[in-house]
Amino acid sequence: MAPDDDVLMQRIATRDEDAFQLLVLRWQQPVFSFLWHMLRSREEAEDLTQDVFLKVLDQAPRYRPEGKFRSWVLRIAANRARSSLRRRSVLRWVSFDPSLHDRPRGEDDASTQLERDETARRVQDAIRRLPQRQQEAVVLRRYQDLSYEEIAVALDATLPAVESLLQRAAANLRRDLG
């Protein structure tokens, strides 16, 4: 059985390279995916993914093993994404690229597929227009499948604040999408 993330972090604190490599292999894709959704730049997401893991390595001695590694690492990623967006001075959030995710491909005709693609594009555009914190909460919930509690940790917010962000985002999306 592979060691859990908290055990790996304890080993990384002692500079165990094998533990660090295992943790990176385990979390590199989810961190990259989150950053890509936030930044819509493959190169920037790749660079920031590396930066996130350097921060993980640096913070390992101070990490508290509470079984919340996922939220903790995604908070680091969210902070890096926010900093990058501030440097750009342009908030360009994209929530979903269907080509990066598994989706059912049946025997649909071309017009049905075009309708699906158009709907996905409209949803992407609507999410992009949400306020930044609502976008973050939606991406973490919908595309990273975090629980409300994990989102609260990742955004450094209270549980009621996360619930409110997601409710306001849903209302804004309903209004925007008709």
Side-chain angles (χ1 to χ4, degrees):
M1 176 180 253
D4 71 16
D5 299 322
D6 288 342
V7 170
L8 290 175
M9 285 300 290
Q10 289 173 336
R11 290 174 43 196
I12 292 168
T14 66
R15 297 300 189 213
D16 181 332
E17 290 181 29
D18 292 335
F20 182 67
Q21 288 177 358
L22 182 57
L23 192 79
V24 169
L25 284 173
R26 187 178 290 170
W27 286 99
Q28 185 173 20
Q29 187 57 41
V31 168
F32 170 81
S33 177
F34 172 78
L35 289 167
W36 187 91
H37 283 102
M38 303 303 267
L39 302 168
R40 186 59 178 216
S41 165
R42 180 175 198 81
E43 296 79 23
E44 195 169 10
E46 288 171 349
D47 289 345
L48 290 181
T49 297
Q50 290 179 358
D51 190 38
V52 165
F53 285 104
L54 289 175
K55 181 75 170 180
V56 166
L57 184 61
D58 181 58
Q59 293 295 315
R62 291 181 284 289
Y63 177 78
R64 291 189 315 260
E66 299 171 350
K68 297 179 181 179
F69 179 82
R70 178 181 181 182
S71 302
W72 181 77
V73 75
L74 290 174
R75 181 184 330 170
I76 294 171
N79 288 338
R80 292 297 190 260
R82 278 187 222 115
S83 294
S84 179
L85 289 167
R86 277 192 298 272
R87 279 192 303 274
R88 281 193 213 168
S89 298
V90 177
L91 296 177
R92 292 185 303 159
W93 290 73
V94 176
S95 62
F96 182 63
D97 179 2
S99 68
L100 295 179
H101 299 278
D102 292 334
R103 65 178 179 183
R105 291 205 182 257
E107 300 294 323
D108 296 335
D109 61 13
S111 65
T112 302
Q113 189 60 46
L114 284 173
E115 286 177 31
R116 282 189 187 140
D117 291 347
E118 176 61 20
T119 299
R121 186 195 57 74
R122 287 185 60 230
V123 170
Q124 290 171 24
D125 291 344
I127 291 173
R128 194 175 313 131
R129 289 187 293 270
L130 290 172
Q132 180 178 353
R133 294 288 279 183
Q134 290 179 25
Q135 291 175 16
E136 292 171 351
V138 168
V139 168
L140 289 169
R141 179 72 180 145
R142 173 65 176 95
Y143 302 110
Q144 294 297 316
D145 199 31
L146 265 64
S147 69
Y148 282 33
E149 293 81 9
E150 291 171 318
I151 294 169
V153 171
L155 296 181
D156 197 21
T158 65
L159 188 57
V162 168
E163 292 169 349
S164 177
L165 281 170
L166 289 169
Q167 288 172 355
R168 288 193 320 260
N172 287 336
L173 289 171
R174 276 192 297 275
R175 184 174 49 250
D176 196 8
L177 294 170

